Amino acid sequence: MRRNLALALALSLTACQAPPTEQAPTYAVTTVTADLPDPSGLAALADDLLVSTPRGILRMGPDEPLSTLAAGAPLHEPAGLAWNDRIILAADPPANRIWRIPAGGKATPFAGTGTALLPIGDDGPATSAQLNSPLDVAIAPDGTAYIADTGNSRIRRVAPDGRISTLPGTEDAFERPTALALSADGTLWVVDATLGELKRIAPGKPIETLARDLDDPRGVIPTEDGALVSEAGKNRVVWVGPRGSVFPVVGGSTSVTGGRKEEGTGTTFALSHPSRFAPAAGAGIYLLDGDRILLLTPRATP
């Protein structure tokens, strides 16, 4: 009897110590704008949006139509964008460069020489280093920039003084990093399209693979308890929890009649080619889906 009581108590304590079930967020979906010309990058600051296209970088305010911020030489085909209150950066894979876009719209080199030669030029000025088809870029509050140096299979770091280096360990952890994003605590989230993985790089910690077997991941954005990842291969957005659980939250449905929906909810809303994310005002998130921008708004959990 005493032994059975002890066993029951131990099992009860184990159950009490079990981690709580991860709860995926739910989202309402609204179309912000559509019919964009082959967009490939997205960034936001407050309610203003930037979109990169083969025609250049476009800007749209909350009550303003799309206008051209930068176009023509030296831009080739800008992709990933980063934007804070001081700087706009644009990754340009064909140019093997990251461009700085000032208010006047004339692009100037921020990183890369325009060639993809070896050696790659770490520990020197970023404008003298080699990048190979960089697809994305992110900016930390202190001005540090992180680059998805896709063709070189690594993440590069540009310090505020303009010197570039390879983030330790990334040259062995990635094959084709395609998108990255920063959390407020400095954690870097990266998706690798070839490996189908989401990796998390927290300051001072080893690189952690949080999710595997993702189908052509194209974008990532941190949330309060995890991260959203766009899976272009399954036309959906998934939420990856802090312990690596993967939950579909938007898209994945093909049951759409009468054309595309302009608004909807969760997995009943059909996506066509989800890729980049950008933070919206409040807790909302912008999503680039094919030729349109969607707004994902969190809904209260029942």
Side-chain angles (χ1 to χ4, degrees):
M1 174 71 73
R2 189 175 301 170
R3 181 179 179 184
N4 290 341
L5 181 61
L7 180 59
L9 180 61
L11 290 173
S12 176
L13 288 173
T14 301
C16 292
Q17 293 170 359
T21 302
E22 293 181 344
Q23 181 66 48
T26 58
Y27 293 94
V29 186
T30 306
T31 300
V32 176
T33 189
D35 300 322
L36 297 168
D38 297 322
S40 56
L42 183 67
L45 187 63
D47 289 323
D48 288 335
L49 286 165
L50 293 180
V51 185
S52 58
T53 76
R55 301 180 188 179
I57 298 173
L58 309 179
R59 181 171 183 170
M60 183 176 70
D63 299 311
E64 301 172 2
L66 280 169
S67 61
T68 300
L69 175 68
L75 292 174
H76 288 59
E77 292 186 19
L81 299 169
W83 189 15
N84 63 18
D85 57 358
R86 299 185 304 275
I87 188 174
I88 296 170
L89 297 178
D92 194 343
N96 296 312
R97 271 182 163 148
I98 305 294
W99 302 104
R100 184 198 313 265
I101 314 293
K106 181 65 175 178
T108 59
F110 176 82
T113 64
T115 61
L117 304 174
L118 296 174
I120 60 175
D122 274 340
D123 303 318
T127 51
S128 299
Q130 311 296 333
L131 300 176
N132 189 343
S133 303
L135 280 175
D136 205 7
V137 60
I139 311 172
D142 67 354
T144 301
Y146 295 90
I147 300 168
D149 192 0
T150 307
N152 283 324
S153 303
R154 66 191 65 206
I155 306 300
R156 310 287 287 277
R157 177 184 183 273
V158 180
D161 66 1
R163 297 182 70 81
I164 194 170
S165 59
T166 292
L167 209 60
T170 60
E171 68 273 27
D172 299 317
F174 294 100
E175 287 192 22
R176 189 170 178 263
T178 52
L180 46 80
L182 278 166
S183 295
D185 65 357
T187 296
L188 188 66
W189 304 76
V190 188
V191 291
D192 189 304
T194 297
L195 297 177
E197 294 179 347
L198 168 66
K199 296 180 185 290
R200 179 170 59 186
I201 310 172
K205 295 183 179 180
I207 300 171
E208 178 184 9
T209 300
L210 202 60
R212 293 181 170 87
D213 300 321
L214 299 170
D215 193 344
D216 195 11
R218 294 297 183 94
V220 60
I221 190 168
T223 63
E224 182 178 355
D225 297 318
L228 294 182
V229 175
S230 58
E231 282 189 285
K234 292 183 177 177
N235 284 325
R236 68 180 186 176
V237 171
V238 298
W239 178 76
V240 181
R243 294 186 299 277
S245 300
V246 178
F247 298 89
V249 291
V250 179
S253 170
T254 57
S255 58
V256 177
T257 58
R260 297 190 302 183
K261 290 184 179 179
E262 294 299 310
E263 59 184 32
T265 304
T267 54
T268 65
F269 187 93
L271 301 176
S272 58
H273 192 75
S275 55
R276 306 289 184 172
F277 297 97
I285 293 170
Y286 292 113
L287 169 65
L288 189 60
D289 177 51
D291 67 352
R292 60 182 173 171
I293 298 172
L294 306 175
L295 176 62
L296 312 185
T297 305
R299 303 181 71 190
T301 304

